[in-house]
Amino acid sequence: GERRIVGLKSPEGAERLRALCEAEGVQLPPPAPWWKAVLAGEPRRPCPGLRGACRHTYAAAVQAVAGDFDDSQIQALEECVGVAYVEEDAAVLKAEGPPPWKALWRPPDGAQHALKTLAADLRRDLLGGEPSAAGFADLAAGRGGGGDGDGGHGGRVAAFAGGGVQELHQALWNLDRVDQRDLPLDGRLRYGGPRGEGGAGGEGVTVYVVDSGLRGSHQEFAPWGGGGGGSRAVVGPDFVDGDGEAADCDGHGTHVAATAVGRTVGLAKGARVVGVRVLDCAGSGSISDVVAGLDWVVREHDPAAGPAIVTLSLGIALGQWSRTLEEAVRALSAEHGILVVVASGNSGVDSCFVAPGNVAEALTVAASDLNTKFGITRESDREGLYRWSNTGGCVDLFAPGVDVYSACGGASRCDRVDDASYAWASGTSMAVPLVAGAAAAWLAENPAATPAQAKAHLLAEATEGKLESPHLLEGTPNRLLFATPPHNRPNVASFGG
């Protein structure tokens, strides 16, 4: 048969399918309210003639089953459990720009040395102990393309300073941009939550990165507190190989996760991250695997443990649709209290034509750019888009997504993959985790907020009218992410002092 996804008419229908799928080694969690079928005396029998068909069964995010079904098996399902719809399984792709990722930015003369020194400092200080301003050397001013004056800060690599202010190298321009309304870039990131000195932001929030997996041992996911050992990252299930361990061979998921919660390259530095693997080593997957990942998140996450966010830096190919994926994303936000942050996509078209970026209940993110980001920035500089970012009315806001420096988890991205390696990447994929990090920081201080309230907060806080581009489609909201905590803005006392 063909790989198809079959939506079921009711939870009772999914319950009847349980016996068959369990016999095939696919576990179906009890759909709620499964007990109604029992009390009503409904039969709980397997459907005939479907052996070998089940690949995934969903009962948390959606009521559906995916497998290799021929027409006769679809008819059998209709007669046995009731079929609401049938759709073809299709490819899902990461929302990242083309390789080579390492060559997206060719820095000016002398800057290569600055970046190597930055990487060495990150390796030494994060692996060696608690980051501090004193633990990071300042490079000679100008190595990155500009001095400390007049908006240039190419030599600065100090990672953390007191009071929730991180001194930034120009490589981390994306963090630099989202904590200030206007240019020039000031070389600093104001972060954290008002929980006392040392609060990193995002504590108590879990970010589920449904992606290519996760290198959970990377130094960017190290815990705070100075005790050493452990990690804020959990390597979750693998729906590609089915081996139960979401190790990352592409590196896309690790890069995304570190931008969301990394200690030096991330925004919500105190949040927890869980990697769910649905994309293979080339960054592609299937709708059925992505929905399986979302279904797992619903079943796995305990609301009592704190708020949750899902990142989907991926999408279906232009011109294809999936009711199952769209309904799953919608259900997470509207029914299960989990904010879903999705990429608008990289086709240069209206985002309303791309799933799941077209789902209104999700928070859809497009990618912005700043041409002078690695030089001297000035107040009058124009800000534009990632050239292929989808725009249009389904976009909620923009975040920096070009030449983003983050953790490396795949051999094609950096010269050596270890727990202190870093790489560049571009695309709407890279904008998504910045928004997820901002959401995590806010939800940490507002844990009872709904996904709709978190989304409304980020949109209300966004900076309006900064982007200029002929590729900005009519009806696109001109909103740029703004992520500085209220207590840590200029002229407002920070939690550290």
Side-chain angles (χ1 to χ4, degrees):
E2 299 177 25
R3 181 65 49 82
R4 294 171 173 175
I5 302 173
V6 181
L8 305 178
K9 288 183 177 178
S10 68
E12 290 78 11
E15 172 63 14
R16 292 184 210 168
L17 198 57
R18 165 189 294 280
L20 169 70
C21 293
E22 286 185 346
E24 298 302 317
V26 180
Q27 296 298 313
L28 174 63
W34 64 267
W35 47 267
K36 288 187 177 180
V38 176
L39 293 178
E42 294 286 344
R44 300 179 64 193
R45 65 185 186 278
C47 300
L50 294 178
R51 292 190 61 81
C54 291
R55 173 176 168 82
H56 292 304
T57 53
Y58 319 113
V62 290
Q63 302 292 333
V65 58
D68 297 322
F69 301 113
D70 60 29
D71 291 343
S72 65
Q73 291 170 327
I74 296 293
Q75 181 61 35
L77 278 174
E78 169 59 31
E79 294 172 357
C80 184
V81 300
V83 172
Y85 64 88
V86 178
E87 66 181 33
E88 301 298 320
D89 200 358
V92 171
L93 305 172
K94 61 187 176 184
E96 183 179 11
W101 297 278
K102 291 182 289 185
L104 286 171
W105 172 48
R106 291 176 173 79
D109 292 343
Q112 286 284 15
H113 172 72
L115 286 173
K116 288 180 180 179
T117 306
L118 168 63
D121 283 338
L122 291 176
R123 179 184 301 273
R124 181 187 69 247
D125 289 278
L126 279 182
L127 290 179
E130 198 74 5
S132 66
F136 283 75
D138 277 354
L139 300 178
R143 282 179 179 169
D148 283 347
D150 196 24
H153 45 89
R156 307 298 295 272
V157 298
F160 294 92
V165 178
Q166 176 182 354
E167 300 291 336
L168 298 172
H169 185 278
Q170 281 183 316
L172 301 180
W173 79 277
N174 58 326
L175 300 182
D176 200 350
R177 182 63 191 95
V178 299
D179 83 327
Q180 56 188 79
R181 296 286 186 192
D182 303 303
L183 297 174
L185 299 178
D186 65 4
R188 296 175 176 87
L189 170 69
R190 299 154 190 86
Y191 69 94
R195 299 192 175 197
E197 186 172 356
E203 289 85 354
V205 179
T206 301
V207 180
Y208 292 90
V209 177
V210 179
D211 210 290
S212 65
L214 184 66
R215 186 178 181 90
S217 58
H218 198 285
Q219 64 180 7
E220 287 292 333
F221 308 124
W224 294 94
S231 176
R232 291 178 295 116
V234 173
V235 180
D238 183 343
F239 292 98
V240 178
D241 298 328
D243 59 10
E245 184 177 351
D248 190 4
C249 52
D250 175 271
H252 185 265
T254 300
H255 196 281
V256 167
T259 302
V261 309
R263 281 174 59 147
T264 55
V265 300
L267 206 52
K269 302 175 186 296
R272 178 173 173 262
V273 65
V274 178
V276 181
R277 187 174 184 234
V278 298
L279 302 179
D280 63 19
C281 297
S284 63
S286 66
I287 295 170
S288 60
D289 285 348
V290 173
V291 176
L294 297 177
D295 206 66
W296 180 86
V297 169
V298 172
R299 290 184 278 113
E300 171 69 14
H301 182 68
D302 179 5
I309 299 167
V310 165
T311 66
L312 289 176
S313 288
L314 50 77
I316 305 173
L318 180 64
Q320 298 185 18
W321 306 96
S322 171
R323 175 174 171 177
T324 309
L325 178 57
E326 292 168 28
E327 288 188 355
V329 170
R330 189 173 295 115
L332 261 70
S333 291
E335 300 175 17
H336 299 288
I338 300 173
L339 177 66
V340 184
V341 186
V342 306
S344 69
N346 303 332
S347 302
V349 300
D350 192 323
S351 59
C352 294
F353 296 149
V354 178
N358 61 332
V359 177
E361 290 82 358
L363 207 170
T364 301
V365 183
S368 66
D369 190 16
L370 174 63
N371 288 338
T372 58
K373 55 186 173 286
F374 297 128
I376 297 174
T377 60
R378 295 181 172 83
E379 183 178 5
S380 59
D381 288 348
R382 296 176 58 185
E383 296 180 83
L385 314 181
Y386 170 57
R387 171 62 184 87
W388 299 107
S389 177
N390 292 344
T391 58
C394 288
V395 167
D396 291 305
L397 80 169
F398 288 79
V402 179
D403 300 338
V404 172
Y405 195 67
S406 189
C408 180
S412 65
R413 296 172 181 268
C414 52
D415 295 332
R416 177 178 61 181
V417 181
D418 60 22
D419 292 340
S421 56
Y422 294 81
W424 302 94
S426 293
T428 55
S429 276
M430 284 62 247
V432 164
L434 275 178
V435 175
W442 187 77
L443 284 170
E445 304 304 327
N446 300 274
T450 65
Q453 290 170 328
K455 177 177 177 178
H457 168 78
L458 290 176
L459 298 189
E461 283 288 292
T463 303
E464 298 274 356
K466 292 295 183 181
L467 306 178
E468 300 179 34
S469 172
H471 306 295
L472 204 63
L473 295 179
E474 184 177 355
T476 305
N478 197 326
R479 303 189 192 107
L480 184 63
L481 176 66
F482 182 65
T484 299
H487 63 278
N488 204 359
R489 295 174 186 173
N491 303 318
V492 178
S494 71
F495 66 80

